[in-house]
Amino acid sequence: MKLVVVSAGLSVPSSTRLLADRLAAETTAKASADVEVEVVELRDLAVEIAHNFTNGFPGRKLAAALDAVAGADGLIVVTPVFSASYSGLFKSFFDVLDQDALTGKPVLIAATGGSARHSLVLEHALRPLFAYLRAVVVPTAVYAASEDWGAEGLPERVERAAGELAALMTGLSAARPAAPAKAEAGGFEVIPFAEQLAALRPTG
């Protein structure tokens, strides 16, 4: 399975990236199958995102990031809080993403901020955005204020949210239709019973 992490942190090091890494590590640990993790740092794509708005074409790095998100089995998206909402860079990235790319895709939403007063950004901004994009947003969202680092509560929220994402990713991956099977002896194709019945029906 492939897990893509989208981090909109601007500084280096970034508390947004730190939270993203913790969520990714916990999701990987809880998954019942091997998970490949790819991190998309939006600050590295800011210029290409702006150019995409003006010329309609993504640059090479942006195109690779958009393809990674569209092909992921699950997403972790983390934004710093600006003006009581997600950052403009965060929103701009999802504005240039194909509108059908997240349909049915499990998404864990998270945010960082300087004060716990902004924690509702998860429910009044991020969750509606990804519901509009027809993603499957996990029930537990994670907000980390400055005082949360090293305090009780944050590790438990990270663990619970990661477990929900891992379960969704595993379930959806297992639900995908398997490739047509072939018998081990002779390499004969196994035709589903419904197709055999259809072939026996009179055509006249």
Side-chain angles (χ1 to χ4, degrees):
M1 295 187 297
K2 183 174 182 180
L3 173 65
V4 173
V5 181
V6 178
S7 171
L10 299 179
S11 60
V12 181
S14 162
S15 60
T16 300
R17 175 61 188 272
L18 177 61
L19 180 58
D21 287 344
R22 286 194 181 185
L23 289 165
E26 193 66 35
T27 302
T28 300
K30 289 187 172 299
S32 59
D34 291 337
V35 177
E36 174 192 351
V37 179
E38 179 175 347
V39 178
V40 175
E41 284 278 12
L42 295 188
R43 70 169 179 269
D44 298 332
L45 303 173
V47 173
E48 290 193 16
I49 291 172
H51 287 169
N52 192 34
F53 277 111
T54 57
N55 62 28
F57 297 97
R60 180 176 56 83
K61 290 182 179 179
L62 177 58
L66 295 173
D67 287 344
V69 168
D73 294 295
L75 290 180
I76 294 172
V77 298
V78 191
T79 178
V81 174
F82 283 89
S83 301
S85 188
Y86 37 63
S87 73
L89 179 60
F90 181 87
K91 179 60 162 56
S92 295
F93 176 76
F94 289 100
D95 281 343
V96 300
L97 182 70
D98 184 273
Q99 65 178 10
D100 296 323
L102 299 187
T103 300
K105 197 179 300 294
V107 177
L108 192 167
I109 57 174
T112 58
S115 169
R117 294 192 304 270
H118 294 303
S119 61
L120 286 177
V121 69
L122 294 167
E123 303 303 326
H124 75 69
L126 269 78
R127 196 176 295 276
L129 170 63
F130 289 96
Y132 171 78
L133 295 172
R134 300 190 297 279
V136 180
V137 185
V138 303
T140 302
V142 181
Y143 180 82
S146 298
E147 62 266 26
D148 288 327
W149 298 102
E152 294 183 1
L154 180 59
E156 290 77 13
R157 295 197 303 275
V158 167
E159 182 179 3
R160 184 167 64 248
E164 292 167 356
L165 179 62
L168 273 175
M169 289 174 61
T170 302
L172 291 176
S173 178
R176 287 181 186 146
K182 289 184 180 294
E184 291 183 3
F188 297 108
E189 184 177 0
V190 177
I191 301 175
F193 182 64
E195 293 184 23
Q196 296 181 45
L197 286 178
L200 293 174
R201 290 186 186 129
T203 56

